[in-house]
Amino acid sequence: MDMKELFDQVETYLESLIEGNSDRLLGTIGAEKQLIRQFLDAIEQTLQSDLQGNLIAPNNFSLNVPLEYLEEIRSGQPMLEKLSENLSRAANRSGISFNGKVNISVFPDQDLEPGEFTVRAIWKEDVLSETAPSKISTGPLQAIQAFPKAFLIVGGTQIYTLEDNLVNIGRQLDNDLIIDDARVSRKHAQIRVVKGRHILFDLDSSGGTLVNNKPISQVSLHPGDVITLAGVPLVYGHDSVTSTSDTKEYRPPNTKDNPGASSTTRNLSPDDRA
């Protein structure tokens, strides 16, 4: 079975579960199917195989929704947990294993239009294991239980708050965020606030800067993005909830009131509604 057939099989099984359940996180069958497709795309893009050839997927996901609808995500814990269970069951049926219990965290994203959402898969276990040998000196560190407005996850257990409009990152002691790792350049990267967004710049570092495994010279950051500085990873986020117990149900806007509203990349049609 090739990869397309494998994911088609997973998608078909998940869609059958959606159609047989009246409780839906996004309210409509069409939106739920688009959500499933995005989760599967995120899994496929980050899928790895071990030495025995077994397929392993990351177990942490960020579900990004428009900032203005974050407060409308209500009573979503049971449905998020059910979605997590269904993802695990469907993947296992097709020979894909997650590297832990599936966890879905909800983030706001001011670039999304009403009714849109995005999904990212994050190898958080890699963040923990890869940063462990590194000595990281930071300014305003806080416990991870209470996320501030914007932050970088450092070492998997603490956060560096992005309180200033310019943050320099590197090995040299005059940086705002100091990462004592030989792989990191003395002046490696910089985060600036530009028109209300956090923009990451690579400062011609020797080891390079990646965001979600893609080399960058500069890029606008989104919640859940994994930044890798010459092999040392950080995770960017803002205004988040910390677990599924803190999340709420996402209610897409009424498309009759807002005909331009869409879910993911297309408008929801009347046929999509339950």
Side-chain angles (χ1 to χ4, degrees), residues 7 14 25-26 32-46 57-64 80 83-84 87 98 102-105 117-121:
F7 277 92
L14 286 170
L25 185 65
L26 302 185
E32 294 285 293
K33 288 183 177 180
Q34 290 181 50
L35 180 63
I36 290 301
R37 182 67 261 168
Q38 287 223 17
F39 270 99
L40 295 182
D41 286 345
I43 292 170
E44 186 171 7
Q45 291 167 14
T46 53
N59 63 305
N60 291 286
F61 296 88
S62 68
L63 170 59
N64 294 13
L80 282 169
L83 175 59
S84 300
L87 282 170
F98 291 99
V102 174
N103 178 65
I104 302 171
S105 297
F117 52 84
T118 60
V119 175
R120 289 184 176 87

Side-chain angles (χ1 to χ4, degrees), residues 74-93:
R74 299 173 183 167
S75 304
Q77 180 186 358
M79 286 175 284
L80 282 169
E81 290 179 349
K82 191 65 177 178
L83 175 59
S84 300
E85 293 172 4
N86 289 341
L87 282 170
S88 295
R89 187 180 300 115
N92 291 336
R93 282 167 53 97

Side-chain angles (χ1 to χ4, degrees), residues 2 15 20 27 29 58 78-79 104 110 165 168 177 206 216 223 231 241:
D2 63 24
E15 287 184 352
I29 291 178
M79 286 175 284
I104 302 171
Q110 63 190 28
N165 290 334
N168 289 306
L177 175 55
S206 58
I216 63 99
V241 294

